[in-house]
Amino acid sequence: DAKTTQPTSMDCAEGRAANLPCNHSTISGNEYVYWYRQIHSQGPQYIIHGLKNNETNEMASLIITEDRKSSTLILPHATLRDTAVYYCMNYGGSQGNLIFGKGTKLSVKP
Amino acid sequence: GAVVSQHPSWVICKSGTSVKIECRSLDFQATTMFWYRQFPKQSLMLMATSNEGSKATYEQGVEKDKFLINHASLTLSTLTVTSAHPEDSSFYICSANARAGNQPQHFGDGTRLSIL
């Protein structure tokens, strides 16, 4: 089962920052947190991952709390094309696979 | 960046037909690939793990004789849905594990399978 929990849905105004939270209080100290998104009828797209330090790339920023019990994905200037389901995950499967929860459906509105 | 190519993008065929889906890692070698299935408005569920040079590992409830997996090289895994029926209609997605350290998995664009 997934070790992460996320809100079911969120709305964000176009051009504003989208902050997507994730709780992962039961992951172990050496488990990375990975964020992916899935736009309708496409395969999941990798966004960013981190262990305990904050991370930033061309797509997003990842803020991980000091106790590693939660993290926040930040899309600094959301566009309509960022509308998707966002998944926060860890490699927790028995085969070393990612475990998909239900994710957060982000709707970016004009 | 790492790219995974999946083919075909969509298939429509008659009941009883067998359908083969290919998953290729284009710029890295993947000793492990994963096959997922996604039904409408649901999340991805792992079907099986494809290991290069050995038998695939299937998740509980997935029929290995119905979903044949072959991982003959470090860059190609295939999933064959044998004698497909309408209930097999779904979105099938593969991913390749380019894990060196904690590098992320990368996913194909999926195959929409519709059985009439």
Side-chain angles (χ1 to χ4, degrees), chain A residues 89-101:
Chain A
M89 298 182 286
N90 63 294
Y91 279 110
S94 61
Q95 303 301 317
N97 55 289
L98 290 166
I99 301 176
F100 284 82

Side-chain angles (χ1 to χ4, degrees), chain A residues 50-68:
Chain A
L51 182 62
K52 54 184 178 181
N53 296 322
N54 296 338
E55 302 288 344
T56 296
N57 63 19
E58 65 278 6
M59 290 184 68
S61 294
L62 176 60
I63 308 298
I64 303 174
T65 59
E66 192 169 343
D67 61 11
R68 290 196 6 100

Side-chain angles (χ1 to χ4, degrees), chain B residues 83-104:
Chain B
S83 186
H85 292 286
E87 59 266 29
D88 299 321
S89 298
S90 189
F91 191 49
Y92 293 85
I93 308 167
C94 71
S95 72
N97 193 349
R99 293 183 69 186
N102 287 286
Q103 292 306 304

Side-chain angles (χ1 to χ4, degrees), chain A residues 30 32 34 36 38 40-46 49 87 89 91 94-103, chain B residues 32 34 36 38 42-44 46 49 51 57 59 91 93 97 99 102-110 112:
Chain A
N30 62 349
Y32 280 70
Y34 296 82
Y36 286 75
Q38 187 178 26
H40 183 61
S41 294
Q42 297 182 23
Q45 176 189 23
Y46 165 75
H49 71 287
Y87 296 97
M89 298 182 286
Y91 279 110
S94 61
Q95 303 301 317
N97 55 289
L98 290 166
I99 301 176
F100 284 82
K102 295 182 188 267
Chain B
T32 303
F34 300 96
Y36 294 83
Q38 185 176 33
Q42 295 186 23
S43 191
L44 281 75
L46 181 68
T49 303
N51 302 298
T57 304
E59 296 299 297
F91 191 49
I93 308 167
N97 193 349
R99 293 183 69 186
N102 287 286
Q103 292 306 304
Q105 286 183 19
H106 293 275
F107 290 80
D109 282 336
R112 177 76 57 191

Side-chain angles (χ1 to χ4, degrees), chain A residues 22-27 64-71:
Chain A
C22 176
N23 288 321
H24 39 76
S25 59
T26 60
I27 66 170
I64 303 174
T65 59
E66 192 169 343
D67 61 11
R68 290 196 6 100
K69 292 184 177 181
S70 66
S71 60

